[in-house]
Amino acid sequence: DQQVKQNSPSLSVQEGRISILNCDYTNSMFDYFLWYKKYPAEGPTFLISISSIKDKNEDGRFTVFLNKSAKHLSLHIVPSQPGDSAVYFCAGLGSNDYKLSFGAGTTVTVRA
Amino acid sequence: DAGVIQSPRHEVTEMGQEVTLRCKLISGHNSLFWYRQTMMRGLELLIYFNNNVPIDDSGMPEDRFSAKMPNASFSTLKIQPSEPRDSAVYFCASSLGTGVQSPLHFGNGTRLTVT
């Protein structure tokens, strides 16, 4: 039972342009949403999070938007850089405070 | 800080054999998670330990899977007997506490292939 879905398995974008990664969820009890970034042959690393009471969180080139009514969030990367090429996982954190439910990931390729 | 260390990085074994994956936590971390990554299901939580005690093992697929924390800095995940459908990348992750204030620190994973 996938509570977090990333329906786009891959995304290709030109360097300098915006990357938009989408994520949908079904569990309305999630308190936080997190994005993790993963390079090949490495483990995921934490990127950015957003509380369910916010609709936007920004950290440098990365911005998360949350639309609770639509149960949808997105990660914007502006401007995209070649080093951003990686797999991005969206995750929801429930009220039990420890169980992250991950999506299947979106592979981003930034073309020079 | 060496980060979370997993071994081996790659494991190829034949169906029916026992497989043991190992994980060394970051010093001082008290929460330990084992995840499995597959193409179809992404990252799934297998088991969560807090202060060496298993808190949630609901993600462990079946009795063939077992996990232990013999001490505060080390954990093992054992599969006996292994099956081809167990082929995946297994990640260990640790954190100091839980919640959004304590992001998980993942190891580089063990890629398991069962033939």
Side-chain angles (χ1 to χ4, degrees):
Chain A
D1 179 23
Q2 289 281 90
Q3 299 185 59
V4 177
K5 294 183 180 179
Q6 295 176 255
N7 293 319
S8 297
S10 63
L11 171 69
S12 180
V13 64
Q14 193 163 10
E15 182 178 4
R17 299 292 184 102
I18 184 171
S19 294
I20 300 177
L21 290 75
N22 294 304
C23 179
D24 297 295
Y25 62 95
T26 57
N27 187 344
S28 59
M29 301 300 291
F30 285 142
D31 291 327
Y32 291 93
F33 299 90
L34 296 83
W35 286 90
Y36 279 76
K37 177 180 180 179
K38 182 186 177 306
Y39 292 119
E42 295 184 10
T45 55
F46 170 71
L47 184 60
I48 191 171
S49 65
I50 187 168
S51 165
S52 61
I53 63 172
K54 300 276 181 77
D55 56 16
K56 177 182 176 181
N57 187 28
E58 187 173 354
D59 183 2
R61 296 185 297 113
F62 302 90
T63 303
V64 183
F65 295 94
L66 175 61
N67 182 334
K68 283 192 69 176
S69 61
K71 292 192 173 66
H72 176 84
L73 63 154
S74 60
L75 173 68
H76 292 211
I77 308 174
V78 184
S80 301
Q81 299 174 354
D84 297 330
S85 296
V87 179
Y88 291 80
F89 291 98
C90 173
L93 183 62
S95 56
N96 57 27
D97 212 32
Y98 66 84
K99 190 165 188 174
L100 279 170
S101 296
F102 284 92
T106 296
T107 300
V108 173
T109 302
V110 180
R111 308 185 309 271
Chain B
D1 181 359
V4 175
I5 299 173
Q6 292 188 245
S7 63
R9 290 300 309 274
H10 302 273
E11 177 78 41
V12 180
T13 190
E14 292 184 347
M15 181 174 65
Q17 296 297 307
E18 177 180 301
V19 174
T20 300
L21 311 181
R22 296 174 174 79
C23 173
K24 185 176 185 299
L25 286 69
I26 292 174
S27 177
H29 282 190
N30 61 352
S31 294
L32 183 280
F33 303 80
W34 281 100
Y35 279 87
R36 178 171 67 176
Q37 183 190 8
T38 60
M39 289 293 290
M40 292 297 294
R41 300 181 65 84
L43 280 162
E44 301 174 276
L45 177 64
L46 299 177
I47 188 168
Y48 158 57
F49 289 86
N50 183 256
N51 292 322
N52 306 357
V53 177
I55 303 299
D56 183 352
D57 65 355
S58 61
M60 295 288 260
E62 45 199 274
D63 292 345
R64 298 185 297 108
F65 286 68
S66 62
K68 294 181 180 179
M69 274 199 78
N71 58 58
S73 60
F74 185 73
S75 177
T76 60
L77 177 68
K78 184 179 293 186
I79 308 173
Q80 166 63 18
S82 58
E83 297 182 2
R85 59 191 168 122
D86 302 330
S87 297
V89 181
Y90 291 80
F91 289 101
C92 169
S94 72
S95 63
L96 179 59
T98 59
V100 72
Q101 304 302 327
S102 304
L104 298 183
H105 296 258
F106 283 84
N108 287 335
T110 295
R111 180 175 293 277
L112 173 65
T113 303
V114 183
T115 60

